[in-house]
Amino acid sequence: MANQTDWMGIAQRLLALAQAGLAYTPNACDAERYEEVRALGLMAGLSGEPVAQLHALFAGETGYPTPKVDIRAVLFRGTDEVLLVQEKMDGNRWSLPGGWADVGYTPFEVAVKEVGEETGLATEAVRLLALLDKRQHAHPPQPWYVYKAFVLCRVVGGELQADTTETAGVRWVHRTELPALALSTDRVTRAQLERLFAFAHEPDLPTWCD
């Protein structure tokens, strides 16, 4: 029997097929079938959520379906400290600064913007460290199919802000603190942070990509 994560993957695929079919279908009969596939996808991905809520998430999705993009900024201090923020939307759990990619911004611009909004620091983006398929990592299941981009940034100005619209705290966290830290695992996992620290020790490592 499929577990919750398996069902979410099935639902994501069904919804993607339905969305693509509705975008390119040439006749009403096929459209009706794709609407049925969409309904099956919603049921497959329930995971305790009301059908109406899931339908609302996907009702506005049209055209060919593609993954959403989550961009996270990685800032090191030395080789064993990384900058983390407390996410208000996730019970003040800790994460790398970041969020969904915005239309009209490059990935680097998004990373710099998110750091400024969530920490008060002015930064510049240096390089792409990793591009990951969220499904391949230990994140909680969710309706969206997501790619995660981790962008190395460096501080060029500003001051740390203790509280922002989205975050309740920000500080440099030593690598040894990670096991005891309550992480916002929807945004970043301990295993990802541990692997990202390799770039602090070896800046020329190739980009990590699933």
Side-chain angles (χ1 to χ4, degrees):
M1 179 179 291
N3 60 33
Q4 185 182 34
T5 303
D6 294 333
W7 281 118
M8 188 59 71
I10 292 169
Q12 289 171 337
R13 186 59 183 153
L14 285 172
L15 290 166
L17 290 170
Q19 186 178 323
L22 289 169
Y24 295 108
T25 186
N27 60 67
C29 290
D30 284 342
E32 185 176 331
R33 295 186 181 95
Y34 284 121
E35 287 289 0
E36 185 175 350
V37 172
R38 183 197 290 266
L40 290 170
L42 290 171
M43 286 188 289
L46 284 178
S47 65
E49 298 294 333
V51 173
Q53 183 175 336
L54 286 175
H55 187 272
L57 284 174
F58 291 95
E61 297 288 326
T62 58
Y64 192 83
T66 60
K68 294 175 73 69
V69 180
D70 176 29
I71 295 179
R72 296 287 146 184
V74 183
L75 292 95
F76 295 117
R77 186 167 70 175
T79 57
D80 294 303
E81 289 184 308
V82 65
L83 190 69
L84 298 182
V85 297
Q86 288 181 289
E87 295 282 351
K88 288 181 178 179
M89 290 185 64
D90 193 16
N92 292 340
R93 292 179 176 85
W94 293 91
S95 173
L96 294 168
W100 293 123
D102 295 311
V103 174
Y105 288 79
T106 69
F108 277 16
E109 288 172 340
V110 172
V112 169
K113 179 174 72 71
E114 291 290 336
V115 174
E117 292 174 352
E118 296 185 7
T119 74
L121 294 178
T123 61
E124 62 180 8
V126 178
R127 60 165 293 198
L128 178 67
L129 297 182
L131 182 61
L132 307 180
D133 181 338
K134 191 172 184 178
R135 186 185 59 170
Q136 303 297 322
H137 300 264
H139 298 282
Q142 66 177 142
W144 311 114
Y145 200 100
V146 180
Y147 286 169
K148 297 183 66 64
F150 294 85
V151 177
L152 178 66
C153 296
R154 61 181 167 218
V155 179
V156 295
E159 295 182 359
L160 289 178
Q161 296 180 5
D163 184 78
T164 73
T165 302
E166 300 178 36
T167 57
V170 55
R171 70 179 180 89
W172 296 99
V173 174
H174 196 274
R175 186 174 188 171
T176 57
E177 297 180 71
L178 293 180
L181 215 58
L183 292 177
S184 177
T185 54
D186 184 54
R187 295 165 174 81
V188 68
T189 69
R190 178 184 166 192
Q192 289 167 347
L193 289 171
E194 290 284 3
R195 181 153 178 179
L196 288 168
F197 266 113
F199 290 97
H201 291 264
E202 298 181 64
D204 295 328
L205 285 173
T207 299
W208 172 25
C209 188
D210 284 332

